[in-house]
Amino acid sequence: MGFLLTKMMAVFGDREHKVIVVGLDNAGKTSILYQFLTKEAVHTSPTIGSNVEEITVGKTNFMVWDIGGQESLRASWYSYYGNTEIVILVVDSTDRERLNLTKEELHRMLAHEDLQKAAVLILANKQDVKGSMTAAEISQCLTLDSISSHSWHVQACCALTGEGLPASLDWMKSRVVAN
Ligand code: G3D
């Protein structure tokens, strides 16, 4: 039975893996989601509520939820946590002032019981902007090294060109394959 199931999955592809995209407003969440889908920059407007899209990488299917990041919406992020396998935290690498707020949101999320098994991908977005923080700086400010409870990875990227995003998808795939 197990062998048959493995064979069928090889032919038809895997089940869907739930991914949520979080981050403060203006971080680039929607731009990244559409770059994943279309490989093009799109004109975005602030996310009210959520967008959900299916992204397929090889035979791996991700259901990706883009959740609004405005202060009023952050309080309801937790309602999306159930069954989440990967959290993508998008950081605006030019926004030094609000990095501490992102750090608080990250550590609050990691403490939530529904995310205990989730892996975390931190995307240091807007790397095209001169003077933006590097992935290493962001990693240090978010105290990523202190996280031992969750598998995590930090990736520099640019949602306008797509740079760094294929590597992000590869990491996501490696995490769900590992589980
Ligand atoms: P959000 O969904 O997190 O709120 P959006 O963020 O995807 O709506 O992006 C917010 C703004 O940042 C948009 O600009 C978008 O074009 C811009 N942006 C997103 N990613 C990048 C990036 O990598 N580099 C640069 N330079 N800009 C980016 P507007 O002007 O439409 O508000």
Side-chain angles (χ1 to χ4, degrees), residues 34-100:
Y34 286 101
Q35 184 64 244
F36 277 150
L37 287 167
T38 63
K39 300 188 171 55
E40 283 171 18
V42 289
H43 180 72
T44 62
S45 51
T47 309
I48 308 296
S50 59
N51 301 317
V52 62
E53 300 287 352
E54 184 171 4
I55 295 173
T56 303
V57 186
K59 288 183 177 140
T60 306
N61 297 319
F62 296 106
M63 280 311 276
V64 184
W65 293 78
D66 165 21
I67 306 172
Q70 294 98 320
E71 193 175 0
S72 56
L73 298 171
R74 293 204 293 275
S76 64
W77 279 1
Y78 74 91
S79 59
Y80 294 88
Y81 291 170
N83 300 319
T84 296
E85 292 179 57
I86 296 177
V87 176
I88 301 180
L89 172 65
V90 181
V91 179
D92 178 345
S93 307
T94 69
D95 191 355
R96 292 171 191 272
E97 281 181 11
R98 294 198 301 167
L99 194 54
N100 219 26

Side-chain angles (χ1 to χ4, degrees), residues 112-127:
H112 198 284
E113 60 180 349
D114 288 348
L115 291 179
Q116 289 317 299
K117 290 186 181 155
V120 186
L121 172 65
I122 295 104
L123 292 180
N125 191 33
K126 306 196 184 182
Q127 290 295 313

Side-chain angles (χ1 to χ4, degrees), residues 91-157:
V91 179
D92 178 345
S93 307
T94 69
D95 191 355
R96 292 171 191 272
E97 281 181 11
R98 294 198 301 167
L99 194 54
N100 219 26
L101 185 53
T102 300
K103 178 184 166 186
E104 285 168 18
E105 295 290 359
L106 169 65
H107 289 273
R108 185 175 303 134
M109 272 192 308
L110 295 181
H112 198 284
E113 60 180 349
D114 288 348
L115 291 179
Q116 289 317 299
K117 290 186 181 155
V120 186
L121 172 65
I122 295 104
L123 292 180
N125 191 33
K126 306 196 184 182
Q127 290 295 313
D128 57 305
V129 180
K130 201 163 172 265
S132 60
M133 293 177 282
T134 63
E137 272 178 273
I138 289 171
S139 181
Q140 195 179 14
C141 293
L142 297 179
T143 61
L144 297 183
D145 280 338
S146 72
I147 301 171
S148 55
S149 52
H150 294 72
S151 168
W152 59 267
H153 177 68
V154 60
Q155 172 71 51
C157 73

Side-chain angles (χ1 to χ4, degrees), residues 24-31 44 47 125-126 128-129 158-160:
L24 302 185
D25 50 291
N26 207 47
K29 299 180 292 298
T30 308
S31 304
T44 62
T47 309
N125 191 33
K126 306 196 184 182
D128 57 305
V129 180
C158 170
L160 299 190

